[in-house]
Amino acid sequence: MRCDYYDAALCRSCTLLRVDYPDQLSGKQARARAAIGDHPGLVWEPAVASAEHGFRNKAKMVVAGTVDEPTLGILDATGHGTDLRRCPLHTPGIVAALPTLAAFVARAGLTPYDVTTRRGELKYVLVTEGDGLMVRFVLRSTEALARVRKHLPWLLQELEPAVVSANIQPLHKAVLEGDVEIPLVGEQLAMPVGDVVLHLQPRSFFQTNTTVAAALYSDARAWTRDLPARTAWDLFCGVGGFALHIAHPGREVVGVELSEEAVASAARSRDGSGTEVDVRFVAGDALAFARDAERAPDLVVVNPPRRGITELAGWLEASRVRHVLYSSCNVDSLAQDLNAMPSLVPRRARVFDMFPHTAHHEVLVLLERAVRA
Ligand SMILES: C[S@@+](CC[C@H](N)C(=O)[O-])C[C@H]1O[C@@H](n2cnc3c(N)ncnc32)[C@H](O)[C@@H]1O
């Protein structure tokens, strides 16, 4: 992929940009294989490649510069803004929207937050593209909120975003968002993924590469379809992507997720699916849910944050769960968790390249409990 910002040394976030894409992919496969290790009978499916540009459905733009000439991008080493609004990773809808959002900053008089003087109001503009756009303004306080509201009709006319909100992040820290979210327009962004429509609220987690996420969920469905699993859990379920893909008549699925908002969105996606599926979503801690359950299910899907499943690995090892489908964005914590579950043997694995031009990647592994001799 060609990137003017990289060539001009303005941004070096894509650490593998100079590596040919097929070599990036084979490097990721080698890394995943080394982390998971050799297991007799383990089948590696060919890696799922991504588009090399235009794949990233979410832009996290630091706002800097001045009210009249804001930069949307990153901060350099001195705390000054570098404008990256034409970053080729973002989906075309996001690239097209960023100049309008920069114009909105000027129109509404939203002073960019200056990290060196700790002055100003607008810290980030966050944009997600699904079936339409979700736009979030991360503000230091509610001071500028009236101006955002006043000029919102212009933004609605120019961009027709499905969702607009303001997030209040008062801390002087490199933290993307705060706890307070103020809805301004709409509530949920519809995110079609394969044959399922997920719904995202402003603070919901969602995979950053929609096309590769669709391939991931599709494999989760295909790899688990014929397993003898009448009961299944989707732990760390977010807005329910895995749960809604692995559900089928005769299978009871429970999704468990810390965020109540995400659970509400998942339930909405299930209710709008138009098919009768036995899926319920519960807000809570995955490990506590497993420990409190009367019976272990036949199948558990886990898709944890980067730290991995930690103590849950011990619970799974000691349980009677027959199959585990582990989707990981960090092969180091995956390897650690697999070591803690020696009775669950990797049978099938695949790399999904959610994050081209960086060393990051997703790995899906199907584990089966070894039959004791
Ligand atoms: C990598 S995301 C996976 C989301 C989802 N599976 C998907 O496909 O989009 C991890 C999710 O785990 C949730 N989470 C973090 N810690 C948790 C915990 N202790 N118990 C349950 N969910 C947790 C986060 O809120 C986040 O939604």
Side-chain angles (χ1 to χ4, degrees):
M1 181 185 76
R2 174 83 203 277
C3 174
D4 295 341
Y5 299 123
Y6 188 97
D7 292 344
L10 290 171
C11 175
R12 286 289 157 95
S13 306
C14 290
T15 50
L16 301 184
L17 197 68
R18 290 271 156 83
V19 179
D20 285 343
Y21 189 60
D23 295 339
Q24 291 183 26
L25 217 48
S26 50
K28 291 179 187 194
Q29 265 177 307
R31 178 131 162 64
R33 275 174 188 264
I36 291 174
D38 286 334
H39 297 272
L42 167 59
V43 174
W44 278 93
E45 308 282 350
V48 172
S50 169
E52 289 184 45
H53 52 84
F55 57 83
R56 204 182 150 88
N57 60 29
K58 184 166 185 179
K60 302 176 183 177
M61 313 305 276
V62 181
V63 184
T66 62
V67 180
D68 291 331
E69 287 188 28
T71 58
L72 304 184
I74 54 174
L75 296 181
D76 66 17
T78 65
H80 292 97
T82 298
D83 194 280
L84 301 177
R85 71 183 73 175
R86 286 178 291 102
C87 168
L89 300 185
H90 295 139
T91 56
I94 291 177
V95 177
L98 289 174
T100 307
L101 289 165
F104 180 78
V105 172
R107 188 172 270 265
L110 307 177
T111 320
Y113 183 70
D114 182 333
V115 291
T116 55
T117 60
R118 302 188 177 200
R119 291 202 148 135
E121 284 298 317
L122 179 59
K123 294 184 164 184
Y124 299 94
V125 170
L126 309 177
V127 192
T128 306
E129 183 170 22
D131 187 6
L133 294 175
M134 171 153 66
V135 176
R136 301 171 67 204
F137 297 100
V138 181
L139 302 167
R140 188 178 63 87
S141 74
T142 53
E143 187 274 331
L145 205 52
R147 296 197 298 285
V148 173
R149 284 204 165 99
K150 181 175 169 205
H151 293 275
L152 210 48
W154 179 84
L155 190 65
L156 297 186
Q157 190 185 313
E158 295 295 313
L159 275 190
E160 298 182 22
V163 179
V164 182
S165 67
N167 178 279
I168 310 302
Q169 202 291 78
L171 306 175
H172 179 70
K173 278 186 180 170
V175 175
L176 191 62
E177 54 187 73
D179 293 335
V180 178
E181 191 81 24
I182 301 168
L184 299 170
V185 174
E187 275 177 21
Q188 307 216 0
L189 177 69
M191 179 64 83
V193 188
D195 57 2
V196 170
V197 179
L198 298 174
H199 291 86
L200 310 186
Q201 295 195 27
R203 294 196 299 159
S204 307
F205 169 90
F206 184 63
Q207 317 280 353
T208 53
N209 187 324
T210 312
T211 309
V212 177
L216 175 71
Y217 294 142
S218 164
D219 270 8
R221 176 185 283 164
W223 294 11
T224 61
R225 184 183 292 128
D226 297 329
L227 297 179
R230 290 176 52 79
T231 52
W233 293 347
D234 172 9
L235 303 181
F236 312 92
C237 70
V239 295
F242 283 101
L244 295 171
H245 279 84
I246 64 163
H248 63 66
R251 179 177 291 170
E252 189 187 309
V253 182
V254 184
V256 182
E257 159 64 46
L258 267 188
S259 156
E260 292 194 9
E261 269 183 14
V263 164
S265 300
R268 178 171 171 172
S269 303
R270 173 202 58 208
D271 297 343
S273 70
T275 49
E276 279 291 306
V277 281
D278 188 352
V279 184
R280 118 187 126 80
F281 292 100
V282 176
D285 171 64
L287 179 63
F289 176 84
R291 282 182 173 158
D292 292 348
E294 277 176 24
R295 280 189 65 137
D298 303 316
L299 164 69
V300 173
V301 177
V302 290
N303 179 213
R306 287 190 69 74
R307 64 175 180 272
I309 59 173
T310 60
E311 285 174 83
L312 185 63
W315 184 89
L316 283 166
E317 170 66 15
S319 76
R320 299 168 69 94
V321 172
R322 183 136 169 228
H323 290 96
V324 172
L325 185 68
Y326 194 140
S327 184
S328 165
C329 61
N330 178 355
V331 286
D332 296 324
S333 58
L334 171 65
Q336 230 167 46
D337 290 337
L338 294 187
N339 282 337
M341 302 188 289
S343 304
L344 287 155
V345 183
R347 295 287 186 219
R348 205 168 178 182
R350 188 170 215 174
V351 165
F352 293 79
D353 194 16
M354 294 267 186
F355 318 100
H357 318 305
T358 74
H360 296 287
H361 53 283
E362 189 81 16
V363 185
L364 187 67
V365 190
L366 179 64
L367 309 165
E368 185 177 42
R369 189 165 298 277
V371 181
R372 291 216 181 100

